[in-house]
Amino acid sequence: EAANSIYNAAVMKEILGDAKGAIASFEKYVKAHGQKDAAEIWARIASLFVKMKDIASAERVWKQIIAKWGSSARAVEAHLKLGLEAQKRGKAKETENHFKQTVAKYKRLPEAARGKAASATAWAARARFEEGEGLFAQYSKIKFMLPQKVLTRLIIEKGKLLKKVTEIFFDVL
């Protein structure tokens, strides 16, 4: 009963635009209610931090979700969000790692969990799409040039990238 009241208060604060108050109430709710649905609540808290433009705190929460609920659909989302933030900062290796983890965690979700969490499918598809976009950018940068040895190497390199890009985009579909 008390936990429900705390949750309802958090939702009302969120609706009214009091993100800080909502975060405090959601944190209080998790402490009072235990771990049931905690990953969902923490994901909501992370989105509130994003709305407040406090990306560092959102990233801290996403990492917490991965550490505590690593085999959940919310961990799939957390890796995607961390990858997108790393992408904004130009951190190619970190971006690639999080996108790969997004897809890997999605593939490890039980079939029943995939069906319940349609969003997880969308998150994995988005990560795969972003991977493809990155490779396509590399592909587009390759310009053919002479001498013959260099031209041959570039054609082979571009062909390999095109194959990977095509596979990734077909995965998304």
Side-chain angles (χ1 to χ4, degrees), residues 144-145 147-158:
F144 295 131
M145 61 180 76
Q148 185 67 36
K149 269 186 182 178
V150 174
L151 179 62
T152 302
R153 181 182 54 79
L154 291 172
I155 289 171
I156 291 169
E157 185 179 338
K158 198 160 184 158

Side-chain angles (χ1 to χ4, degrees), residues 57-78:
S57 293
E59 287 181 342
R60 179 183 45 78
V61 172
W62 291 324
K63 288 175 183 175
Q64 176 184 330
I65 290 169
I66 292 165
K68 289 187 177 183
W69 301 281
S71 60
S72 72
R74 287 299 176 178
V76 173
E77 176 191 28

